[in-house]
Amino acid sequence: MTAPSDGRAPLPEHAEVVVVGGGVMGTSIAFHLAEAGVRDVVLVERDTLGSGSSAKPLGGVRATFSDPGNVLLGQRSLETFERFAERFSTDIGLRQVGYLFLCRSDAEVASVEASTALQESLGASGRMITPAEAHRLNPLVDPSVLVGASFSPRDGYAEPGRVVAAYGTALRALGGQVHEGTTVTGVETTGGAVRAVHTDRGTIRTDAVVCATGAWSARLGELAGVPLPVVPVRRQIGFTPQQGAPFPTVPFTLDLSTTLYFHNYPGGMLLGISNADEPEGFGRTFDDAWVAAFEEAAQVVAPELVGRPLEGGWAGLYENTPDHNAIIGVSRQLDGFFYATGFSGHGFLQAPAVGEVVRDLYRGVEPFLDVTPFDVSRFDPDPVGHALLAEVHII
């Protein structure tokens, strides 16, 4: 094939697997496939690697969930993040400051107690603590408004951009191809099976496609004739100015009642809240529309954060499903169509484990985790044997 005039490498005429989406999910999946010996793995990304939802400066890593599948995906990925620097020679900025979930009602305490018992049974690090203990861990929290809390010391946060770059480098070293600036325009099928991927730069013949396009997944599913109920919703965070005397180091702290959250960044604070008024859409312009909701919540939970000026911020996209949990699996409608999307804010922290799962699904090997509960069929009008997932620890 003739090289394009812009100097980019030409698309291959054939690939064993085409992974669509160059964020942390797509790069993890492509890397794990190539590492397992799958030949001719091609990753296509319409922009640049990590330019979508993975562009956020920091992302939480945790195994603190109430659904066992989410716990195991988070725990497996956390183990990978802990070994990442050694395995990939990349500092991903991992800071295991712990996750602190604040409970301000008896009902919240009961729910978190149940999820903490589940986490403990699966080997995670969470434990219930008193309001006084929560204040000792995070002096910015007002203990008088708490009924209880949970703390998982092994959790924390890292830098998605560095993880994406490391997976991309490792993929290329294994012989996989990465084609940025390449938009998928169609998925060719014959007899109920994938036959090719059409792009604005040419066609790649293939029998397998992996949808890892995050908030844009419904469109790719539409091109393939596979409904994927994923909608984009803007989520924003702000950064307070760096100060000479930095804030004390605190856990990644989240208030279940209001969805307020904050943690260090690095000499200031990163602030955020799940703004219930945010409409669906692909807009990623940063503004201060969410600040009023944050201030109202902070007035109750962490008064010292009220009125803090912001020196900047970031707006990105959540990829939400109807039950705010991921869809992972193999299409029953179209042979060769795999999907890992709809993580609803949990994609970064689950990406290493999901890369392993999709690798094994493709190879016909039983994954470490049965992902049947994450199958998209749970959203069918009359699902058979599948129920919506219920997750307490959603922010």
Side-chain angles (χ1 to χ4, degrees):
M1 183 178 293
T2 303
S5 58
D6 59 11
R8 290 181 292 176
L11 292 181
E13 295 182 356
H14 178 271
E16 184 171 344
V17 184
V18 174
V19 179
V20 186
V24 68
M25 197 61 61
T27 54
S28 171
I29 292 168
F31 162 74
H32 281 96
L33 286 167
E35 183 190 39
V38 177
R39 300 181 61 188
D40 301 323
V41 177
V42 175
L43 185 151
V44 296
E45 160 59 42
R46 69 173 187 173
D47 198 336
T48 58
L49 293 188
S51 60
S53 297
S54 299
K56 59 188 176 182
L58 293 175
V61 294
R62 60 180 167 109
T64 306
F65 290 96
S66 62
D67 174 80
N70 283 329
V71 174
L72 292 172
L73 288 172
Q75 188 172 1
R76 184 90 163 197
S77 294
L78 186 55
E79 292 168 358
T80 296
F81 288 130
E82 289 173 333
R83 304 190 306 268
F84 210 93
E86 178 182 355
R87 185 177 183 189
F88 294 95
S89 300
T90 299
D91 176 10
I92 61 171
L94 177 63
R95 301 292 181 266
Q96 290 177 284
V97 295
Y99 257 67
L100 178 63
F101 275 93
L102 308 177
C103 305
R104 295 198 284 116
S105 71
D106 291 337
E108 288 176 354
V109 168
S111 294
V112 173
E113 282 179 339
S115 63
T116 301
L118 170 68
Q119 294 157 27
E120 184 179 12
S121 73
L122 296 173
S125 67
R127 68 176 189 271
M128 295 299 296
I129 62 174
T130 65
E133 289 175 297
H135 178 68
R136 283 198 292 272
L137 288 167
N138 188 339
L140 298 174
V141 171
D142 180 359
S144 69
V145 301
L146 304 183
V147 178
S150 72
F151 179 61
S152 46
R154 194 176 171 189
D155 298 343
Y157 50 85
E159 299 180 35
R162 296 188 181 191
V163 174
V164 171
Y167 275 141
T169 297
L171 170 63
R172 293 182 179 101
L174 290 166
Q177 296 186 40
V178 175
H179 292 274
E180 298 173 300
T182 304
T183 300
V184 172
T185 58
V187 177
E188 182 180 325
T189 65
T190 303
V194 171
R195 291 292 177 254
V197 172
H198 300 296
T199 80
D200 60 351
R201 297 181 55 219
T203 295
I204 307 171
R205 311 306 302 184
T206 186
D207 294 329
V209 174
V210 181
C211 174
T213 51
W216 296 267
S217 293
R219 174 57 176 161
L220 183 59
E222 180 182 346
L223 292 174
V226 179
L228 296 174
V230 177
V231 296
V233 178
R234 182 178 63 163
R235 181 63 66 86
Q236 302 190 80
I237 55 175
F239 315 120
T240 67
Q242 301 299 298
Q243 18 186 81
F247 286 95
T249 299
V250 300
F252 194 136
T253 302
L254 308 96
D255 178 48
L256 285 170
S257 294
T258 62
T259 71
L260 165 150
Y261 57 93
F262 62 95
H263 59 73
N264 300 87
Y265 182 75
M269 280 285 163
L270 179 152
L271 313 176
I273 193 167
S274 176
N275 189 354
D277 297 328
E278 188 67 44
E280 296 175 3
F282 287 99
R284 285 189 285 174
T285 301
F286 178 77
D287 60 35
D288 61 0
W290 58 278
V291 173
F294 179 89
E295 296 260 299
E296 182 179 358
Q299 185 65 56
V300 176
V301 180
E304 288 187 55
L305 295 178
V306 174
R308 295 279 180 177
L310 300 180
E311 68 171 8
W314 173 87
L317 295 175
Y318 266 29
E319 46 183 285
N320 288 345
T321 63
D323 64 4
H324 294 268
N325 283 278
I327 50 177
I328 308 167
V330 187
S331 174
R332 301 178 185 182
Q333 303 160 291
L334 181 63
D335 288 346
F337 189 87
F338 300 78
Y339 49 83
T341 184
F343 288 88
S344 305
H346 308 142
F348 174 57
L349 68 91
Q350 294 182 342
V354 175
E356 295 183 46
V357 168
V358 176
R359 171 201 66 197
D360 292 341
L361 291 176
Y362 173 77
R363 296 165 65 224
V365 176
E366 184 176 350
F368 79 92
L369 170 69
D370 177 11
V371 291
T372 302
F374 292 99
D375 194 274
V376 72
S377 62
R378 73 183 188 272
F379 301 118
D380 289 347
D382 186 23
V384 178
H386 293 79
L388 298 184
L389 294 174
E391 177 56 61
V392 171
H393 298 273
I394 290 178
I395 294 295

